[in-house]
Amino acid sequence: MSVQTPADFTGRVVIVTGAGSGIGRATARAFARAGARVLGVGRRKDALEETAAGRPGIAVHPADLRDPGAAEEIVGAATGRWDHLDVLVNNAGAVAFMPLADTTATGIADLFALNVTAPSLLAHRALPHLRRSRGSILNVSSTYGHRPSSGTAHYAASKAALEQLTRSWALELAPDGIRVNAVAPGPTESQALAAAGFPEAAVDDIKQDEAARIPLGRRGEPDEVATWIVRLTDPATTWLTGQVLTVDGGLELV
Ligand SMILES: NC(=O)c1ccc[n+]([C@@H]2O[C@H](COP(=O)([O-])OP(=O)(O)OC[C@H]3O[C@@H](n4cnc5c(N)ncnc54)[C@H](OP(=O)(O)O)[C@@H]3O)[C@@H](O)[C@H]2O)c1
């Protein structure tokens, strides 16, 4: 095996949540380019179909990850179609602007249902299959999973939880040969700010402010994150587990 060898996922089966936009779309397409069979999951069927257009390696499965039974149904869809499962990418997530003064039980529960509970239940359902394939779990955190974030404290807390799940599952599942890692992106072009309900003008201001704070001088592109998701789950990456790789243009350094 050469260090230059590009990831080869031929015959491997990958679930990518949040595959209808942003980092998840880039990730689904990157896995498909590497030869994987990919189940792309999200609520919007049309967005998933756009991700899959012209890419026979990608199948789509519309689902709301917060629905009871979603995890069982999604893992069943992948294994029913392809018989096995090698990689689970827990990418779907949302940011919520929720200062302490405006914090509500529903706001916390909604955010944690998507950012923490759904990845946990998917990993739970995927586990028997990952044991058989000696596969891998990749969680998508954020720079703010390990840095404080004013106004989005519960988002930061949900990502911190995901990072601690990553390390704990890595330890728990190492005897099964299952690797568990996370990528922590910094501000990256996607639909996340619009999905959080910020008006267009506010989104532009936030983007400019973020770009100005990033040492490399700009926000990231989804492909620049997806490439690391593929590399960390590459079957050739045999001895790396429990790690959180920050991909943020140096934001966490300042
Ligand atoms: N972009 C950034 O700056 C940034 C920075 C750090 C971390 N991240 C993390 O990166 C991940 C991907 O986000 P992104 O930036 O690519 O944002 P995005 O474009 O908003 O993508 C999020 C995806 O998740 C899906 N999703 C949301 N709620 C869902 C639900 N209840 N059930 C199923 N799917 C759901 C959305 O599709 P539907 O609406 O169709 O369901 C969407 O395709 C997230 O975990 C985010 O926290 C992003």
Side-chain angles (χ1 to χ4, degrees):
M1 184 190 352
S2 141
V3 285
Q4 280 87 28
T5 306
D8 181 6
F9 279 85
T10 306
R12 312 259 174 188
V13 176
V14 181
I15 294 174
V16 178
T17 66
S21 60
I23 294 166
R25 170 174 284 173
T27 299
R29 289 176 174 173
F31 275 117
R33 281 197 299 277
R37 286 168 285 192
V38 183
L39 189 74
V41 180
R43 289 168 302 180
R44 290 165 300 151
K45 188 165 184 268
D46 55 337
L48 294 172
E49 282 171 348
E50 199 181 323
T51 298
R55 294 169 177 85
I58 305 179
V60 307
H61 185 87
D64 188 328
L65 290 166
R66 295 164 305 182
D67 284 348
E72 184 178 4
E73 186 199 302
I74 291 162
V75 172
T79 54
R81 182 184 278 263
W82 294 300
D83 235 22
H84 67 286
L85 178 63
D86 299 282
V87 177
L88 168 65
V89 179
N90 280 316
N91 164 74
V95 62
F97 183 71
M98 192 165 62
L100 185 56
D102 302 331
T103 295
T104 61
T106 313
I108 298 169
D110 281 354
L111 193 63
F112 273 66
L114 179 62
N115 289 5
V116 180
T117 308
S120 303
L121 296 180
L122 274 168
H124 166 71
R125 286 291 171 185
L127 183 56
H129 304 283
L130 297 178
R131 280 194 169 123
R132 274 193 286 280
S133 61
R134 296 176 78 79
S136 173
I137 299 171
L138 189 294
N139 295 320
V140 178
S141 178
S142 161
T143 303
Y144 298 109
H146 47 271
R147 296 217 37 181
S149 178
S150 169
T152 54
H154 286 85
Y155 169 73
S158 73
K159 294 300 190 181
L162 200 54
E163 293 191 1
Q164 194 64 329
L165 291 171
T166 299
R167 288 184 281 267
S168 301
W169 290 340
L171 199 55
E172 188 175 319
L173 304 182
D176 295 311
I178 299 172
R179 298 183 304 106
V180 187
N181 292 292
V183 163
T188 306
E189 294 304 332
S190 77
Q191 295 178 358
L193 292 171
F198 290 106
E200 206 173 308
V203 168
D204 289 344
D205 287 348
I206 293 169
K207 286 185 175 184
Q208 277 179 26
D209 175 58
E210 286 175 340
R213 285 189 292 120
I214 294 171
L216 285 178
R218 62 175 177 83
R219 291 161 53 85
E221 294 297 331
D223 280 335
E224 294 177 297
V225 179
T227 189
W228 289 104
I229 294 175
V230 172
R231 285 188 207 190
L232 292 185
T233 56
D234 183 345
T237 304
T238 44
W239 211 42
L240 184 81
T241 197
Q243 300 305 303
V244 178
L245 179 68
T246 302
V247 184
D248 70 352
L251 179 61
E252 79 170 3
L253 303 173
V254 295

